[in-house]
Amino acid sequence: MVSKLSDNQRSLKLAPLLQDGGWKLQSERDVIHKSFSFANFNCAFAFMTAVALQAEKMDHHPEWFNVYNRVDITLSTHGCQGLSSRDIDLATHIDEAAGKYISQN
């Protein structure tokens, strides 16, 4: 079973995503959230496809919302009802994928 991030893990692994990566904690849930903007729908959809393929491999799926060139993503681990290392790993992959598709603008 996956466990919630400890205080130490939050300091070491989560803090860089929050400080430098643009991810934000939400006050009402133990989740991280980030919005992405792309040049057009095709870039946004290609990004979502790349994330979906990785999420399926990880068996860890994001909550997301897409309108035209914008994609909003929320990550949390339902099994532990909060943030886990799986969210950190997926957020890192998401940021890498976004860099590929945002640079196509």
Side-chain angles (χ1 to χ4, degrees), residues 31-84:
V31 302
I32 53 176
H33 176 85
K34 188 171 179 178
S35 295
F36 298 87
S37 292
F38 299 90
N40 53 46
F41 177 76
N42 288 340
C43 288
F45 194 80
F47 162 73
M48 290 178 69
T49 301
V51 171
L53 292 171
Q54 181 63 28
E56 188 64 20
K57 285 181 189 174
M58 294 174 66
D59 191 29
H60 189 59
H61 305 92
E63 296 174 21
W64 53 12
F65 180 76
N66 165 244
V67 175
Y68 185 61
N69 70 328
R70 194 183 84 229
V71 179
D72 298 329
I73 299 180
T74 301
L75 298 176
S76 183
T77 302
H78 301 287
C80 70
Q81 298 180 350
L83 291 168
S84 75

Side-chain angles (χ1 to χ4, degrees), residues 2 9-10 12-13 29 31-32 35 40-41 44 52 58-59 64 85 88 96 103:
V2 177
Q9 289 172 314
R10 285 177 181 266
L12 294 174
K13 296 181 178 182
R29 294 170 55 201
V31 302
I32 53 176
S35 295
N40 53 46
F41 177 76
M58 294 174 66
D59 191 29
W64 53 12
S85 60
I88 303 301
E96 290 169 1
S103 66

